[in-house]
Amino acid sequence: MEQTNKLPEKVKYDLKFAREIYSLENGSYIKQCMQCGMCAISCATRDIMDYSPRRLFNLIKLGKKDEVMQANTFWYCTSCCTCLVRCPRGVPLVDVMHDLKKYALDNGYGDYPQAAFYKAFWAEVAGRGKSFEGGITARYFLFRGLDEVLKYMALRDVGINMLKHRRLPLLPPKKVKDLGNLKKIIRKARELSGKEAR
Amino acid sequence: MKYSFYPGCSMEATAQANLKSTEAVAHALDLQLEEIPDWNCCGATVASGVVGDFTQQVMTGRNLAIAEPKGQDVVTGCSSCYLSLARTNKRFKEDEHFKAMANEALAAGGYQYNGTLRVRQFLEVVISDVGFERITKRIKRSLKGLKVAGYVGCQTVRAIPYEFDDPEYPVMFDRLIESMGAEATAFPMRTRCCGSSHALAGTDIVVDSIHRLFDSAAQGGAQVIVTPCPMCQMNLDAYQQRVNQLRGTNFNMPILFFTQLMAIAFDLPTDAWALKYNIVSPYAALAPYGVR
Ligand code: SF4
Ligand code: SF4
């Protein structure tokens, strides 16, 4: 009995955080979640997620910024859309996961390898207008450092096989010709979405 | 019939087999694929995580804006491109506020998209516009007895649910396999995720996901797996050996694009089969059908 009246010492409710997340592009959908658990039993990577999407949304409602932002949940989402088609409340979970990734990167929570991959991918697309496997891989290792390179030596067979079967072009694809205008579009879009978000 | 074709980045690199076989099959079926000039990356399932959905969708919208004057359906052979393009297109069609804002951004580069096009996955074009009957008539090489697991994957049927098949129990892909004269085997995991873009940053996720897929396909007695998706093809093909190393299994399952199997069934030139790009050799499984 006694225990239930006490809050564990470390609990810090930060409702500012919840409001911030609700104001992201797809953030307000989180309020629609009724905690039914359908996404949790559907998720392709639930077994290895710190919290299922359902639990993550609950933590957001409680304002638990650090728990949410340090969780692997949204980084481990594979965009398989299973939850998306099953959620009875129509929460577009994949899009919400995108928002959480972006928010994490913008706020300095980018420790997962996936975060480095995302940044590497975007750097290639922003610079060329097209993605290039070789460039993404190089940038990824640059972000992650030498330790990661060594870890990947175990995977060299995969790389060699890809090369042997001409699956890894060594040269990047041609840049988009109209790259200047594409960049202008992207800049404008980012500016507009920044305004809209709040 | 004419289409605006969006190849996507993977077709120029890891999935050249997809490009070669798709072009050849389209030609054999009288489908004209006209590449969208100067197209840019659709952002796949990754860009949104860095720049947000709006920016990615605007970027994707540039491709649709370029294609719009021709008025032809936009077709792509990549499930991830399909997801980006189709969902972006849907927003342009259904969300006036989004459309106005997106066009404000597109205008910065001199483009505009009115949302008049249809976006389609090549698999769906083959099924809906060509149809099983015409495909069966076109078969020149019998694949009778070949046991094929149809790996639909996730995004093809789930990007826009019920657009052309059930997102949980799709049946069209199996019917396509059977219209080619092969046997579609039981494959309960046919829409389960392959681990998608985690190949580099989350190898364990891919290994774990595809291990389950191989198990499921093998239990159904499959000799080959076919798929419409470049990501699925790459993960299953390139990481199969790794699964065997890590899990002590012995899988030796060729992973073909469905267009490769069609090119074989149509008896198109071997170039169109594009089998040299396959890492797990398909020759043993296909030898009884004269493929060498
Ligand atoms: S399926 Fe939808 S409503 Fe149910 S817990 Fe998940 S997000 Fe909430
Ligand atoms: S889309 Fe992401 S969160 Fe949803 S089921 Fe797939 S992996 Fe899980």
Side-chain angles (χ1 to χ4, degrees):
Chain A
M1 263 300 134
E2 215 184 339
Q3 279 175 323
T4 51
N5 293 331
K6 245 197 271 167
L7 286 173
E9 232 162 341
K10 283 211 182 120
V11 170
K12 267 205 323 225
Y13 291 93
D14 176 5
L15 293 174
K16 194 172 132 261
F17 171 65
R19 271 183 229 115
E20 251 174 64
I21 296 293
Y22 294 156
S23 75
L24 301 177
E25 275 186 59
N26 308 286
S28 63
Y29 287 110
I30 295 171
K31 291 189 248 178
Q32 270 167 230
C33 171
M34 62 175 177
Q35 294 289 313
C36 70
M38 181 49 100
C39 51
I41 61 157
S42 304
C43 181
T45 45
R46 167 68 191 104
D47 299 355
I48 50 168
M49 276 177 177
D50 291 336
Y51 310 105
S52 70
R54 175 191 77 82
R55 289 188 63 197
L56 194 77
F57 294 169
N58 205 25
L59 288 171
I60 290 169
K61 287 178 180 170
L62 293 174
K64 304 227 174 198
K65 183 170 183 173
D66 280 343
E67 281 89 335
V68 171
M69 281 297 121
Q70 282 160 9
N72 62 13
T73 302
F74 43 90
W75 292 115
Y76 280 15
C77 166
T78 64
S79 310
C80 74
C81 302
T82 312
C83 54
L84 181 84
V85 301
R86 288 184 182 171
C87 172
R89 298 300 291 264
V91 178
L93 284 97
V94 180
D95 304 339
V96 175
M97 295 297 163
H98 289 155
D99 278 350
L100 293 172
K101 286 171 194 162
K102 181 177 187 304
Y103 184 90
L105 287 179
D106 290 348
N107 290 278
Y109 294 89
D111 290 341
Y112 286 98
Q114 280 79 3
F117 176 79
Y118 273 62
K119 283 194 287 183
F121 183 95
W122 176 252
E124 284 295 311
V125 173
R128 185 177 289 110
K130 288 186 181 180
S131 73
F132 168 51
E133 204 87 20
I136 296 171
T137 310
R139 283 177 200 268
Y140 173 79
F141 286 125
L142 215 65
F143 288 138
R144 296 293 296 169
L146 188 64
D147 282 357
E148 203 79 359
V149 178
L150 294 176
K151 223 169 77 195
Y152 275 80
M153 290 311 280
L155 280 174
R156 64 183 179 276
D157 287 353
V158 174
I160 290 169
N161 276 332
M162 299 269 288
L163 277 173
K164 260 205 276 191
H165 292 272
R166 294 188 230 172
R167 301 282 290 268
L168 285 182
L170 297 173
L171 294 176
K174 285 210 183 76
K175 280 185 185 168
V176 166
K177 283 195 216 103
D178 196 22
L179 191 61
N181 279 324
L182 177 61
K183 283 185 174 169
K184 278 187 206 155
I185 293 171
I186 291 171
R187 203 174 312 131
K188 185 74 186 174
R190 295 187 81 163
E191 191 188 300
L192 285 173
S193 70
K195 247 191 259 160
E196 188 73 0
R198 250 131 274 268
Chain B
M1 235 189 301
K2 283 190 187 174
Y3 303 87
S4 289
F5 183 51
Y6 181 82
C9 305
S10 74
M11 278 207 183
E12 292 186 337
T14 51
Q16 288 169 73
N18 195 17
L19 181 63
K20 294 217 159 82
S21 56
T22 296
E23 282 178 344
V25 165
H27 184 74
L29 292 170
D30 270 333
L31 308 169
Q32 287 184 48
L33 303 180
E34 297 174 352
E35 186 168 331
I36 297 175
D38 203 34
W39 54 271
N40 61 267
C41 172
C42 68
T45 50
V46 179
S48 292
V50 184
V51 292
D53 281 330
F54 178 73
T55 302
Q56 167 163 3
Q57 285 167 349
V58 166
M59 195 174 97
T60 305
R62 175 181 172 273
N63 300 304
L64 299 171
I66 297 174
E68 192 167 44
K70 281 208 167 165
Q72 297 164 177
D73 288 358
V74 171
V75 174
T76 173
C78 168
S79 301
S80 204
C81 300
Y82 172 67
L83 178 95
S84 294
L85 291 165
R87 293 193 77 202
T88 298
N89 196 41
K90 196 166 188 274
R91 275 199 89 181
F92 269 99
K93 278 184 197 293
E94 293 173 359
D95 184 342
E96 281 299 328
H97 176 66
F98 167 84
K99 186 174 155 188
M101 274 208 351
N103 272 321
E104 192 182 332
L106 282 173
Y111 296 92
Q112 185 190 331
Y113 180 54
N114 301 308
T116 60
L117 298 177
R118 242 183 107 186
V119 172
R120 308 171 68 190
Q121 151 73 277
F122 186 65
L123 171 66
E124 187 259 329
V125 169
V126 166
I127 289 170
S128 314
D129 295 5
V130 180
F132 302 122
E133 224 171 288
R134 264 182 66 204
I135 291 165
T136 304
K137 275 199 197 123
R138 183 68 184 67
I139 302 296
K140 297 243 174 76
R141 178 193 300 268
S142 167
L143 296 176
K144 202 167 171 347
L146 182 68
K147 293 186 163 62
V148 180
Y151 182 35
V152 185
C154 40
Q155 294 162 349
T156 303
V157 284
R158 287 206 277 267
I160 313 281
Y162 301 102
E163 175 91 338
F164 88 105
D165 209 340
D166 190 289
E168 304 274 358
Y169 300 104
V171 293
M172 293 299 194
F173 200 40
D174 278 0
R175 287 186 62 194
L176 177 65
I177 289 165
E178 299 200 314
S179 74
M180 286 188 246
E183 184 189 321
T185 58
F187 186 21
M189 294 258 189
R190 62 167 61 90
T191 61
R192 210 191 140 88
C193 181
C194 70
S196 77
S197 61
H198 289 272
L200 191 59
T203 317
D204 299 350
I205 295 177
V206 170
V207 166
D208 186 58
S209 308
I210 66 176
H211 182 200
R212 298 178 204 217
L213 289 164
F214 289 135
D215 248 351
S216 173
Q219 269 174 35
Q223 295 168 282
V224 300
I225 293 177
V226 296
T227 178
C229 173
M231 189 88 82
C232 299
Q233 200 284 336
M234 193 181 75
N235 284 348
L236 290 165
D237 200 6
Y239 287 86
Q240 193 166 152
Q241 205 182 336
R242 194 75 192 133
V243 169
N244 287 336
Q245 281 166 3
L246 289 175
R247 302 285 167 95
T249 48
N250 213 348
F251 297 114
N252 186 20
M253 186 79 79
I255 318 293
L256 270 61
F257 288 103
F258 77 94
T259 42
Q260 289 181 286
L261 198 64
M262 281 183 102
I264 293 168
F266 288 0
D267 202 18
L268 302 179
T270 50
D271 229 26
W273 305 354
L275 294 174
K276 68 176 176 203
Y277 299 104
N278 284 71
I279 294 168
V280 177
S281 170
Y283 290 104
L286 297 174
Y289 306 93
V291 171
R292 59 194 114 234

